[in-house]
Amino acid sequence: MRPEYEYGDEVRVLRNVRNDGTYPGEPTGALLIRRGSTGFVRDVGTFLQDQIIYSVHFLDSDRIVGCRAEELQHADAPWIPSRFEFRDQVATRLPLGLQGRVLVQAGEVGEVIRVLRDHPGGVAYHVHFPDRNTLIVPETALTEPEPLAAAASV
């Protein structure tokens, strides 16, 4: 078991890092570091004698977070940013259809299930719309959902 990264290496985190209960001062489940953020390896250790854990200092948020090798890549490796992440709520900018049949009307809200960074034509998402199948939707066809009218009147 040899470390893939060394002290001082600049790395990028490949997925959102949430508090699993081990980060002090933040509630369990709180977002600690957003996917795509870069930081520097400060320490290399082990967990349960079979996993290498890297303590990574993310300068933008001034947080040191433990990451596994599969959650990291070298900062200079190719990276395609995405506008939305797993579990984000999204709305359609235009009607979505298949073989001439409209499946989702413009403005309908769905949930991102998966980010497809290597999709031909650019970033796309698996988006689940209630009471329908999951669709592959290009990023250009999505936007943030409108705030609820009830919340706006409060």
Side-chain angles (χ1 to χ4, degrees):
M1 191 168 67
R2 294 182 177 249
E4 189 173 334
Y5 306 102
E6 298 295 332
Y7 179 83
D9 285 355
E10 187 174 9
V11 294
R12 179 182 317 279
V13 70
L14 298 174
R15 43 183 115 156
N16 287 334
V17 178
R18 297 189 177 276
N19 187 9
D20 62 0
T22 60
Y23 193 88
E26 294 289 340
T28 300
L31 180 65
L32 298 175
I33 303 296
R34 190 159 178 84
R35 178 193 327 211
S37 298
T38 60
F40 294 89
V41 174
R42 298 242 340 223
D43 192 20
V44 180
T46 59
F47 176 69
L48 298 177
Q49 299 179 355
D50 67 346
Q51 295 180 44
I52 296 176
I53 304 295
Y54 301 91
S55 294
V56 180
H57 186 190
F58 294 93
L59 299 176
D60 290 346
S61 59
D62 196 28
R63 290 188 170 171
I64 299 173
V65 178
C67 300
R68 295 172 298 171
E70 60 266 18
E71 297 173 316
L72 301 171
Q73 72 175 38
H74 286 282
D76 58 0
W79 173 252
I80 301 170
S82 62
R83 186 171 172 195
F84 304 106
E85 302 291 341
F86 172 69
R87 290 193 172 169
D88 281 352
Q89 297 293 307
V90 293
T92 55
R93 294 180 59 237
L94 45 106
L96 302 177
L98 182 64
Q99 298 175 345
R101 196 173 104 221
V102 174
L103 300 174
V104 179
Q105 297 296 328
E108 287 194 56
V109 176
E111 181 179 8
V112 173
I113 303 301
R114 184 170 183 196
V115 180
L116 306 171
R117 294 181 191 285
D118 57 355
H119 193 268
V123 175
Y125 304 89
H126 283 176
V127 180
H128 176 74
F129 295 94
D131 301 323
R132 276 165 276 185
N133 291 334
T134 299
L135 301 175
I136 296 175
V137 184
E139 187 170 71
T140 55
L142 298 172
T143 189
E144 289 82 13
E146 294 290 323
L148 296 175
S153 64
V154 174

